Amino acid sequence: MSSKLFESYSLNSTLTLANRFAMAPLTRCMAGPDLVPTEAMADYYARRADAGLIISEATIIRADAQGYPNTPGIFTDAQIEGWKTVTEKVHARGGKIFMQLWHVGRVAHSYFSGLQPVAPSAVKHEGTLPRMRDLSYEMPKALSTEEIREVVADYVTAAKNAMAAGFDGVEIHGANGYLIDQFLHFDTNKRNDEYGKTSENMSRFCLEVVDAVIAAVGADRTALRITPGAYAHIEPDARDRDVFDYLIEELNQRDLAYLHLGIFDDSLTFEHLGGRSSTYIRERYKGTFMSVGGLTPETAEQGISEDAFDLAAIGRPFIANPDFITRVRNQEPLVEYDAAMLAELV
Ligand code: FNR
Ligand code: 8K6
């Protein structure tokens, strides 16, 4: 495949990507004891180092952030050391890698940490945990304003730890119905204080995290993933639209490395967003936009040539094809993704 896809792309004056493909963040539940990344994880990422940018699997910023088994962390010295092996191997192959910083909020479980899940409001998510069907979600504790300050500080510590571990930057996980996203939607944010009710208030937590991380590691090393159209863990509400209109306008005033859509399938349309999530963001956000969600090499090529997005994140095909970049470059067929592939790190 020819085209712009394989041209380099500058995120800013300090970071240039070798091509327009990013490996999407992909939770693999393969961390070792104490949520330390393993050598096998380092090799898995290194095999994909020819992506313009790798975004790591979501990585928990503190103990009560965990909602799935064996998800890696970035809050202990051993975890930082484990991640150093990952970044060294990726860099040795000429790659670039951001860490995705994660707190799952109300879809955490005390099974993992012994701690009650925290959330904007005491609103329980119905159902059972994926992969652990005998565990039901618990009633979360609504964070106090003092506790919100602590979570923001924990994002900052995690971002600094990521940089100490050799990452090229961090992507704040504000998407897919997790903690930050829970503040951004009416379904999960019932607060009456300065973090609820209005667009400005509901965006406050997200922007506080973004600004604190920017202050710690630099805007050129900070990215954000968002889900304007709720589709996982949260019910969409037409009023969410105003919140995201406001949030994106605020983000236009920060010089993030990029803004990333969080969704599984971007052919999904939302009436209150006037169509697809990617179109909604592109029409508002002025900086580098990374799209995702069912992209193929062909639709990635088309989207970039039509200026629908700047960078194409690829998820499941990157699980199925460690050599995705080579195959696309040489126009070789791709191996089709199958959920059974999640059982091992190839
Ligand atoms: C994901 N996705 C995801 N998203 C995220 O922000 N952090 C994560 O850790 C994960 N983990 C994850 C695991 C697995 C197994 C899948 C399939 C997906 C979502 C992912 O980044 C991407 O948005 C979707 O997979 C859609 O892109 P594709 O797969 O259609 O290219
Ligand atoms: C799909 C395999 C599960 C592996 C671990 C968890 C992955 C975390 C990703 C979070 C997104 C949740 C979205 C669920 C919606 C699915 C729509 C197809």
Side-chain angles (χ1 to χ4, degrees), residues 102-125:
W102 200 23
H103 193 305
V104 305
R106 69 174 186 158
V107 294
H109 201 282
S110 61
Y111 170 85
F112 300 113
S113 60
L115 302 165
Q116 185 184 6
V118 298
S121 304
V123 182
K124 190 164 79 125
H125 183 52

Side-chain angles (χ1 to χ4, degrees), residues 15-265:
L15 270 174
T16 296
L17 312 181
N19 57 62
R20 306 281 194 113
F21 283 116
M23 176 183 174
L26 294 161
T27 290
R28 298 304 309 268
C29 301
M30 296 281 183
D34 303 319
L35 310 184
V36 173
T38 64
E39 196 83 25
M41 286 166 58
D43 293 331
Y44 156 87
Y45 283 114
R47 279 192 285 278
R48 292 159 173 84
D50 53 359
L53 180 66
I54 294 173
I55 302 146
S56 81
E57 64 204 279
T59 300
I60 64 169
I61 63 163
R62 56 188 227 171
D64 67 3
Q66 189 179 356
Y68 306 81
N70 298 90
T71 51
I74 187 67
F75 55 96
T76 70
D77 289 341
Q79 291 161 357
I80 296 171
E81 286 307 308
W83 281 116
K84 276 185 189 164
T85 309
V86 175
T87 60
E88 279 161 12
K89 287 195 173 182
V90 168
H91 289 152
R93 292 206 173 187
K96 295 219 158 41
I97 181 166
F98 272 37
M99 169 175 279
Q100 193 185 46
L101 301 178
W102 200 23
H103 193 305
V104 305
R106 69 174 186 158
V107 294
H109 201 282
S110 61
Y111 170 85
F112 300 113
S113 60
L115 302 165
Q116 185 184 6
V118 298
S121 304
V123 182
K124 190 164 79 125
H125 183 52
E126 292 306 325
T128 57
L129 273 69
R131 296 189 174 199
M132 311 189 83
R133 294 287 171 199
D134 49 336
L135 293 182
S136 295
Y137 288 108
E138 299 166 318
M139 181 59 81
K141 175 187 186 307
L143 288 162
S144 68
T145 48
E146 179 53 35
E147 287 164 338
I148 287 177
R149 273 191 282 279
E150 288 166 17
V151 187
V152 173
D154 290 333
Y155 274 101
V156 169
T157 303
K160 288 181 179 164
N161 288 349
M163 298 311 279
F167 281 87
D168 297 289
V170 295
E171 178 181 290
I172 298 161
H173 195 343
N176 298 348
Y178 299 119
L179 181 63
I180 292 173
D181 206 22
Q182 289 159 23
F183 275 88
L184 294 169
H185 294 270
F186 280 88
D187 180 40
T188 40
N189 184 341
K190 312 283 185 195
R191 298 180 74 99
N192 292 312
D193 65 358
E194 67 265 41
Y195 291 95
K197 281 225 147 92
T198 68
S199 299
E200 185 179 353
N201 287 348
M202 290 170 71
S203 300
R204 190 179 309 282
F205 178 64
C206 180
L207 291 169
E208 283 179 352
V209 173
V210 167
D211 288 338
V213 169
I214 287 176
V217 307
D220 55 335
R221 304 293 165 151
T222 303
L224 174 67
R225 193 172 210 197
I226 57 169
T227 300
Y231 75 102
H233 309 122
I234 293 181
E235 288 302 316
D237 184 312
R239 295 172 295 169
D240 297 342
R241 158 72 180 265
D242 290 341
V243 180
F244 281 86
D245 282 355
Y246 174 85
L247 175 67
I248 294 173
E249 193 42 50
E250 282 292 314
L251 294 173
N252 279 331
Q253 293 158 48
R254 282 119 177 124
D255 222 354
L256 292 174
Y258 62 87
L259 182 64
H260 187 184
L261 168 62
I263 203 149
F264 266 70
D265 178 1

